[in-house]
Amino acid sequence: MKLILAIVQDKDSQQLQSHLVKDGFRSTRLPSTGGFLKSGNSTFILGVEDEKVDDALDVIKENCHTRTQYVTPSFILPEAVNMSDPVEVQVGGATCFILPVDKLVRF
């Protein structure tokens, strides 16, 4: 048994949640905030059998996409207050942590 923690951008979270349910994966969704752009994220917690980890990761990969976003340099680097041209950054996708689980109990 594995525990998957998947941190995804809010824009992808509803679609991901729907596809996880459709494919038979139970999950818990928690609101979270990213540290880099301080944007809205969702953290999904899934308990998955070892042989289904790759299937769950495929669902996450298919439903979470990277995007280009423009931010002011002072947002990223406070010392760059004199720079006014926006900087292009990649956001979105998913960050997944896969952890071993000794025991899973459902009541």
Side-chain angles (χ1 to χ4, degrees):
M1 180 67 82
K2 301 289 187 216
L3 176 73
I4 300 176
L5 297 175
I7 303 164
V8 304
Q9 194 174 35
D10 272 343
K11 291 179 182 176
D12 295 324
S13 62
Q14 188 63 42
Q15 180 175 329
L16 175 59
Q17 189 170 31
S18 296
H19 281 85
L20 286 170
V21 169
K22 178 182 155 210
D23 290 349
F25 293 104
R26 297 173 79 175
S27 67
T28 298
R29 178 178 162 191
L30 303 171
S32 54
T33 303
F36 178 58
L37 296 176
K38 298 182 180 33
S39 60
N41 293 326
S42 290
T43 299
F44 287 83
I45 304 170
L46 297 90
V48 180
E49 292 82 10
D50 288 344
E51 62 274 2
K52 295 199 175 212
V53 169
D54 288 336
D55 295 335
L57 292 175
D58 285 343
V59 173
I60 295 167
K61 184 177 181 180
E62 291 169 9
N63 290 283
C64 300
H65 309 285
T66 58
R67 298 168 180 79
T68 300
Q69 183 172 326
Y70 292 91
V71 297
T72 59
S74 61
F75 186 81
I76 300 170
L77 303 167
E79 61 272 9
V81 291
N82 294 330
M83 298 174 68
S84 60
D85 292 335
V87 175
E88 182 178 305
V89 295
Q90 291 290 103
V91 297
T95 301
C96 298
F97 299 91
I98 298 120
L99 307 162
V101 174
D102 292 331
K103 185 177 182 180
L104 173 70
V105 179
R106 290 188 179 127
F107 295 104

